[in-house]
PDB file of all heavy atoms in Angstrom:
ATOM      1  N   LEU U 160     -32.200 -13.714 -24.384  1.00  0.00           N
ATOM      2  CA  LEU U 160     -31.237 -12.654 -24.660  1.00  0.00           C
ATOM      3  C   LEU U 160     -31.819 -11.289 -24.301  1.00  0.00           C
ATOM      4  O   LEU U 160     -31.129 -10.436 -23.724  1.00  0.00           O
ATOM      5  CB  LEU U 160     -30.836 -12.700 -26.136  1.00  0.00           C
ATOM      6  CG  LEU U 160     -29.790 -11.695 -26.615  1.00  0.00           C
ATOM      7  CD1 LEU U 160     -28.515 -11.793 -25.800  1.00  0.00           C
ATOM      8  CD2 LEU U 160     -29.500 -11.906 -28.093  1.00  0.00           C
ATOM      9  N   ASP U 162     -34.014 -10.637 -21.994  1.00  0.00           N
ATOM     10  CA  ASP U 162     -33.985 -10.523 -20.529  1.00  0.00           C
ATOM     11  C   ASP U 162     -32.571 -10.295 -20.015  1.00  0.00           C
ATOM     12  O   ASP U 162     -32.354  -9.484 -19.099  1.00  0.00           O
ATOM     13  CB  ASP U 162     -34.568 -11.784 -19.898  1.00  0.00           C
ATOM     14  CG  ASP U 162     -36.066 -11.933 -20.157  1.00  0.00           C
ATOM     15  OD1 ASP U 162     -36.731 -10.914 -20.427  1.00  0.00           O
ATOM     16  OD2 ASP U 162     -36.558 -13.076 -20.107  1.00  0.00           O
ATOM     17  N   SER U 163     -31.596 -11.018 -20.583  1.00  0.00           N
ATOM     18  CA  SER U 163     -30.210 -10.866 -20.137  1.00  0.00           C
ATOM     19  C   SER U 163     -29.717  -9.440 -20.323  1.00  0.00           C
ATOM     20  O   SER U 163     -29.070  -8.863 -19.436  1.00  0.00           O
ATOM     21  CB  SER U 163     -29.299 -11.829 -20.908  1.00  0.00           C
ATOM     22  OG  SER U 163     -29.580 -13.174 -20.581  1.00  0.00           O
ATOM     23  N   LEU U 164     -30.014  -8.864 -21.474  1.00  0.00           N
ATOM     24  CA  LEU U 164     -29.570  -7.499 -21.755  1.00  0.00           C
ATOM     25  C   LEU U 164     -30.164  -6.509 -20.762  1.00  0.00           C
ATOM     26  O   LEU U 164     -29.478  -5.606 -20.268  1.00  0.00           O
ATOM     27  CB  LEU U 164     -29.950  -7.105 -23.182  1.00  0.00           C
ATOM     28  CG  LEU U 164     -29.206  -7.838 -24.302  1.00  0.00           C
ATOM     29  CD1 LEU U 164     -29.891  -7.597 -25.638  1.00  0.00           C
ATOM     30  CD2 LEU U 164     -27.747  -7.379 -24.363  1.00  0.00           C
ATOM     31  N   ARG U 165     -31.427  -6.676 -20.478  1.00  0.00           N
ATOM     32  CA  ARG U 165     -32.114  -5.719 -19.613  1.00  0.00           C
ATOM     33  C   ARG U 165     -31.844  -5.944 -18.131  1.00  0.00           C
ATOM     34  O   ARG U 165     -31.782  -4.976 -17.362  1.00  0.00           O
ATOM     35  CB  ARG U 165     -33.619  -5.743 -19.918  1.00  0.00           C
ATOM     36  CG  ARG U 165     -33.933  -4.882 -21.135  1.00  0.00           C
ATOM     37  CD  ARG U 165     -35.032  -5.360 -22.021  1.00  0.00           C
ATOM     38  NE  ARG U 165     -35.126  -4.447 -23.182  1.00  0.00           N
ATOM     39  CZ  ARG U 165     -34.314  -4.524 -24.244  1.00  0.00           C
ATOM     40  NH1 ARG U 165     -33.382  -5.442 -24.290  1.00  0.00           N
ATOM     41  NH2 ARG U 165     -34.427  -3.655 -25.240  1.00  0.00           N
ATOM     42  N   GLU U 166     -31.637  -7.166 -17.739  1.00  0.00           N
ATOM     43  CA  GLU U 166     -31.442  -7.458 -16.316  1.00  0.00           C
ATOM     44  C   GLU U 166     -29.985  -7.383 -15.886  1.00  0.00           C
ATOM     45  O   GLU U 166     -29.690  -7.114 -14.715  1.00  0.00           O
ATOM     46  CB  GLU U 166     -31.993  -8.847 -15.997  1.00  0.00           C
ATOM     47  CG  GLU U 166     -33.508  -8.939 -16.164  1.00  0.00           C
ATOM     48  CD  GLU U 166     -34.017 -10.377 -16.053  1.00  0.00           C
ATOM     49  OE1 GLU U 166     -33.200 -11.276 -15.724  1.00  0.00           O
ATOM     50  OE2 GLU U 166     -35.221 -10.596 -16.302  1.00  0.00           O
ATOM     51  N   ILE U 168     -27.152  -5.990 -18.111  1.00  0.00           N
ATOM     52  CA  ILE U 168     -26.245  -5.059 -18.792  1.00  0.00           C
ATOM     53  C   ILE U 168     -26.774  -3.626 -18.832  1.00  0.00           C
ATOM     54  O   ILE U 168     -26.052  -2.674 -18.527  1.00  0.00           O
ATOM     55  CB  ILE U 168     -25.937  -5.557 -20.226  1.00  0.00           C
ATOM     56  CG1 ILE U 168     -25.162  -6.881 -20.143  1.00  0.00           C
ATOM     57  CG2 ILE U 168     -25.139  -4.510 -21.000  1.00  0.00           C
ATOM     58  CD1 ILE U 168     -24.841  -7.505 -21.482  1.00  0.00           C
ATOM     59  N   MET U 169     -28.033  -3.453 -19.196  1.00  0.00           N
ATOM     60  CA  MET U 169     -28.543  -2.098 -19.397  1.00  0.00           C
ATOM     61  C   MET U 169     -28.606  -1.266 -18.122  1.00  0.00           C
ATOM     62  O   MET U 169     -28.658  -0.036 -18.186  1.00  0.00           O
ATOM     63  CB  MET U 169     -29.921  -2.154 -20.067  1.00  0.00           C
ATOM     64  CG  MET U 169     -29.846  -2.574 -21.527  1.00  0.00           C
ATOM     65  SD  MET U 169     -31.463  -2.673 -22.330  1.00  0.00           S
ATOM     66  CE  MET U 169     -31.964  -0.943 -22.309  1.00  0.00           C
TER      67      MET U 169
END
Side-chain angles (χ1 to χ4, degrees):
L160 182 56
D162 292 337
S163 293
L164 292 167
R165 278 145 184 81
E166 294 171 6
I168 295 178
M169 288 179 66

